[in-house]
Amino acid sequence: MAVSAARLTLFGRLRPLRVGLGVSRESIRAVALRGQAIAWAMERPIADGETPGAALSALLGGAPLPAWPRALVLAALGPSLAQTRRLGNLPPVPNARLRDALVRENAGRFFLRNGAPLATSAVDEDGKGGMWAAACDAPVLADLERACRGRHVRLAKAAPAVVMLGAVTPNGCVRWHDGDSCLDVEFVGGRITTLRRVAENDPAASPADPCVMAPATPQVHPTLAMLGTDAWRFADAFGAACSAGRVPLSWTVNGTGSPEGGVGTRSVSRMRARIAVAAMAVGVLAALAAP
């Protein structure tokens, strides 16, 4: 049965707008995807003394967000906000939940603290015997979640920017900057294989290091390339917008400002509300498709 262009357009509008955020020390970038196309891209600097949440609220306040369905927001946190590391000296624990709890309860052994409580991600195995985890300041996640809630959008997930970049450059090595932080990251199949913090123009780096030899602006996804010379600057936000399903080393926020590692839990009332919305959407589509 043929479906008219008008119905396809309406079906596209029923799909939530996916907004990817790239949050760094100095600015917040946003890329909105409608299906596989970029709807808009925006950037806002973070002023001295301003929190990321306040800057995000201001950015979303000027963004063309639909009233319904609510946009889905996914955030990529830069190296100045999120720590990502391959874990060493981790006791052999066969149960994944126990392993996650072990890292969470001993976060200070694996990650640096600055006085704020840390939110740790679930531990991710790279398939080569390596185990990776990430951590960020829990108040930062709560701040971003409140900003999204205040603008009537939902922060579904957050992850380190170096994880989200795997959707943009799935194979090869890239160098990512965030203020004074600079990381070399190598990907295979979109997954991190090596990660190291470097100083800009590091004289100790080997000339054969693939990250040293990599271009300053790597080849990116064709859709992101449509942003022209700004494409690589928005790579973290675009990678976040492309993320779907399970994202390694991610956090969810349960709607009360409390971050959770891995796949977060949802209350029964929220699940019922989503089921009701889904049922209504199916009813509308069935009515449109009917003779």
Side-chain angles (χ1 to χ4, degrees):
M1 182 179 65
V3 181
S4 68
R7 288 180 179 176
L8 286 174
T9 302
L10 180 58
F11 178 74
R13 290 179 179 174
L14 287 174
R15 298 178 65 180
L17 190 73
R18 297 198 313 279
V19 179
L21 302 177
V23 187
S24 63
R25 180 185 299 277
E26 299 170 347
S27 67
I28 289 186
R29 297 158 301 282
V31 172
L33 291 184
R34 179 78 70 182
Q36 300 300 316
I38 294 178
W40 48 264
M42 303 176 66
E43 183 175 18
R44 185 187 187 280
I46 299 177
D48 291 340
E50 188 178 33
T51 67
L56 174 59
S57 180
L59 183 146
L60 293 177
L65 295 171
W68 191 88
R70 289 196 306 166
L72 196 65
V73 178
L74 304 104
L77 306 184
S80 66
L81 299 171
Q83 305 174 59
T84 308
R85 28 172 330 194
R86 185 170 182 166
L87 303 180
N89 301 321
L90 188 66
V93 180
N95 185 286
R97 289 185 178 273
L98 290 178
R99 190 168 56 222
D100 296 345
L102 176 67
V103 173
R104 183 173 59 250
E105 297 301 324
N106 297 275
R109 290 184 54 193
F110 301 104
F111 302 100
L112 299 176
R113 289 183 181 272
N114 63 0
L118 288 175
T120 58
S121 71
V123 177
D124 183 59
E125 298 184 66
D126 60 11
K128 298 180 179 180
M131 296 186 182
W132 295 79
C136 71
D137 290 350
V140 171
L141 283 182
D143 187 35
L144 295 173
E145 194 274 336
R146 281 193 300 270
C148 289
R149 190 156 24 99
R151 294 298 180 182
H152 307 291
V153 296
R154 183 170 68 88
L155 178 61
K157 201 176 293 291
V162 292
V163 173
M164 299 297 197
L165 289 174
V168 182
T169 308
N171 296 289
C173 193
V174 299
R175 177 163 289 184
W176 189 251
H177 301 265
D178 178 7
D180 297 332
S181 300
C182 182
L183 296 180
D184 281 352
V185 195
E186 189 169 8
F187 297 97
V188 174
R191 304 292 291 271
I192 298 175
T193 57
T194 59
L195 172 69
R196 69 186 185 99
R197 186 177 296 272
V198 296
E200 193 63 40
N201 301 319
D202 184 2
S206 168
D209 188 327
C211 289
V212 174
M213 302 301 294
T217 54
Q219 184 177 1
V220 297
H221 192 284
T223 303
L224 177 60
M226 297 181 69
L227 293 180
T229 56
D230 291 333
W232 183 242
R233 196 168 79 248
F234 284 87
D236 53 349
F238 178 80
C242 291
S243 300
R246 182 183 180 276
V247 179
L249 310 185
S250 63
W251 306 272
T252 57
V253 181
N254 62 16
T256 62
S258 176
E260 300 167 347
V263 180
T265 57
R266 297 180 176 89
S267 66
V268 174
S269 60
R270 289 183 66 188
M271 287 297 295
R272 287 177 176 172
R274 291 185 183 182
I275 292 172
V277 170
M280 182 175 66
V282 170
V284 171
L285 293 175
L288 290 173

